Amino acid sequence: MSPNYIRSFSEGCLRPPTVIGQFHTLFFGSIRMFFLGVLGFAVYGNEALHFSCDPDKREVNLFCYNQFRPITPQVFWALQLVIVLVPGAFFHLYAACKSIKQEDILQKSSYTGFYIFSVFLRIVLEVAAFWLQIQLFGFKVNAIYMCDVGALERKFNVTRCMVPEHFEKTIFLIAMYTFTVITVILCVAEIFEVSCRRLGLLKSQ
């Protein structure tokens, strides 16, 4: 791919054709990723090391932690961020290959429709991730996790495990839910902005 295509692609990703899209890029790229990258590591970075069960043995702790966390929250949210970026990246790659200027996207119906579809797909992916997050993590992290250790062929089937910093994790969960909701609202507002521009209710940038 030539340098011009790369430059057009990067400009399209960083500066979408709508005002709300640009704010979404700022919010998504700066605040949300910073929150996950910095605070997420601080909250969840040493969770596996401090997760302890009764009896406090390595095999029991590891078995129960894997049961408690089928996937670590940092990995899940990182995958969510990457997957949600895919529709927009594909659109801007298409625009770069077709040499479509950002200001022309809202002028031609086919380009506008393709762009709206990419935003709508982002909404679908965010909602799917929101639902999956509820299934995996719920809305609250309890201090005690009851682990089924029957597979270890022990005399007891259920053991108590202590979840470190459960209150901080609950706050972080609510924050990530909030970020998802804000992102969905921004995407819906962006579709509304595009529609208003097409109908002439808003002036073009």
Side-chain angles (χ1 to χ4, degrees):
M1 183 176 289
S2 69
N4 289 335
Y5 288 153
I6 297 175
R7 183 166 56 252
S8 298
F9 172 71
S10 61
E11 288 177 356
C13 291
L14 296 175
R15 192 177 181 275
T18 63
V19 174
I20 295 177
Q22 293 172 21
F23 181 77
H24 171 270
T25 300
L26 174 65
F27 172 80
F28 196 96
S30 302
I31 302 175
R32 195 172 177 183
M33 289 187 178
F34 175 83
F35 191 88
L36 175 59
V38 176
L39 297 182
F41 179 79
V43 173
Y44 290 95
N46 296 321
E47 183 181 48
L49 296 177
H50 298 149
F51 187 89
S52 60
C53 302
D54 183 23
D56 189 8
K57 294 184 177 181
R58 185 177 183 278
E59 62 173 354
V60 176
N61 292 342
L62 183 59
F63 178 85
C64 289
Y65 182 74
N66 289 336
Q67 188 179 119
F68 175 66
R69 292 287 191 216
I71 179 173
T72 57
Q74 308 102 300
V75 173
F76 175 83
W77 289 320
L79 287 174
Q80 176 185 357
L81 294 183
V82 171
I83 291 173
V84 170
L85 287 174
V86 169
F90 268 119
F91 173 82
H92 293 299
L93 181 62
Y94 168 80
C97 293
K98 293 289 185 180
S99 300
I100 303 171
K101 296 180 180 179
Q102 291 299 303
E103 56 269 21
D104 295 335
I105 291 174
L106 302 184
Q107 302 300 321
K108 191 172 180 180
S109 299
S110 58
Y111 299 157
T112 304
F114 192 7
Y115 184 76
I116 289 178
F117 177 74
S118 70
V119 177
F120 178 76
L121 193 55
R122 288 207 308 259
I123 295 174
V124 172
L125 292 173
E126 287 281 15
V127 171
F130 188 91
W131 177 84
L132 189 57
Q133 182 178 337
I134 293 174
Q135 303 305 309
L136 289 172
F137 311 125
F139 290 95
K140 181 181 179 181
V141 179
N142 296 316
I144 303 296
Y145 174 72
M146 304 306 294
C147 174
D148 182 2
V149 292
L152 293 179
E153 298 181 356
R154 292 182 173 271
K155 295 179 180 180
F156 48 88
N157 291 327
V158 178
T159 187
R160 291 161 52 93
C161 299
M162 299 294 294
V163 180
E165 301 169 341
H166 64 282
F167 185 67
E168 288 184 11
K169 292 178 174 64
T170 298
I171 295 175
F172 201 89
L173 270 178
I174 299 302
M176 295 307 292
Y177 282 123
T178 303
F179 285 150
T180 301
V181 171
I182 292 174
T183 303
V184 170
I185 292 174
L186 288 175
C187 289
V188 172
E190 186 173 9
I191 292 177
F192 180 75
E193 179 187 349
V194 172
S195 301
C196 289
R197 290 188 183 280
R198 289 292 299 174
L199 294 174
L201 300 177
L202 291 175
K203 293 182 179 180
S204 299
Q205 300 181 70

